[in-house]
Amino acid sequence: MITLRKITLENRRELFRLEVSKEQQKYVASNLSSVASCYVLATNGGSPLPFAIYAKEQMVGFVMIVYGNTGYDQPEMADNNYCILRLMIGEQYQKQGYGREAMAKILDYIRTFPAGPAKYCWIAYEADNIVAKRLYESFGFCENGEIYNNEPIAVLEL
Ligand SMILES: CC(C)(COP(=O)(O)OP(=O)(O)OC[C@H]1O[C@@H](n2cnc3c(N)ncnc32)[C@H](O)[C@@H]1OP(=O)(O)O)[C@@H](O)C(=O)NCCC(=O)NCCS
């Protein structure tokens, strides 16, 4: 059973230690860097929604959802829409179905429109990240032809 839980003073160090494999590091920033970005975004008018991903009581991953401005160059559609800016499952917990179950929970959560109304959720990923691309497509995300910072963008109507 996957749950999305708040990052706390108690679990933050465990989150910072959670890593993807060496080969996957080009696909996602470290959790430490992402949480730092959340702080900067939140203190500059942005709406980051970061969560630790748990399988039962074990922390297995991290997700950073953002509403509106992501703090980076972004497509026009970012305004008033949700972005899954980061998603990772720790190397030792991958290929056990947690990523798929987490995506379902993440989309359920986004569909509660926690930071404001939206029509779309979008994701950008490296073109060669086939595992991520297939996972997102299986939830209905479709590439819209836009390339941002060399990354294709896939969009889901909420
Ligand atoms: C993408 C990621 C979150 C998937 O997490 P996961 O827990 O391994 O995913 P699951 O176990 O739920 O598997 C999801 C699907 O991907 C497939 N898959 C997972 N890892 C795979 C791999 N290394 N090679 C081939 N297929 C793989 C699974 O077989 C499964 O397919 P199915 O559901 O159609 O049977 C994880 O690989 C990851 O953290 N990657 C590095 C960071 C990253 O790329 N994040 C996305 C940035 S946009």
Side-chain angles (χ1 to χ4, degrees):
M1 223 283 269
I2 289 283
T3 49
L4 304 180
R5 299 191 192 173
K6 193 171 121 175
I7 297 159
T8 64
L9 294 174
E10 285 71 37
N11 70 12
R12 64 186 160 147
R13 288 192 185 82
E14 189 180 356
L15 183 73
F16 299 155
R17 282 196 298 268
L18 202 58
E19 289 180 331
V20 296
S21 70
K22 275 239 152 33
E23 302 74 55
Q24 293 172 328
Q25 283 174 7
K26 62 178 178 162
Y27 296 142
V28 68
S30 72
N31 292 341
L32 182 61
S33 158
S34 294
V35 172
S37 296
C38 286
Y39 172 79
V40 176
L41 200 53
T43 51
N44 287 276
S47 300
L49 301 159
F51 293 99
I53 298 169
Y54 281 77
K56 297 202 178 116
E57 290 309 309
Q58 178 62 55
M59 184 191 292
V60 298
F62 171 72
V63 61
M64 176 181 175
I65 303 161
V66 176
Y67 180 65
N69 182 10
T70 59
Y72 296 92
D73 260 3
Q74 56 189 10
E76 258 173 47
M77 64 157 314
D79 284 343
N80 298 319
N81 285 313
Y82 289 86
C83 171
I84 300 175
L85 193 64
R86 310 264 197 268
L87 173 67
M88 63 81 75
I89 298 292
E91 179 179 12
Q92 65 274 45
Y93 303 113
Q94 291 182 13
K95 296 200 233 172
Q96 298 171 48
Y98 297 147
R100 176 169 292 287
E101 210 185 317
M103 269 303 287
K105 283 273 150 61
I106 291 162
L107 291 173
D108 283 351
Y109 174 69
I110 290 174
R111 286 186 166 116
T112 69
F113 304 101
K119 188 153 187 222
Y120 299 106
C121 178
W122 65 280
I123 300 186
Y125 45 79
E126 297 277 344
D128 69 347
N129 194 351
I130 304 301
V131 172
K133 177 182 155 77
R134 288 210 183 114
L135 179 64
Y136 302 145
E137 280 177 353
S138 73
F139 281 90
F141 282 84
C142 284
E143 289 185 9
N144 69 355
E146 276 186 80
I147 305 283
Y148 239 81
N149 296 326
N150 293 322
E151 295 188 345
I153 286 175
V155 178
L156 175 75
E157 190 162 349
L158 292 170

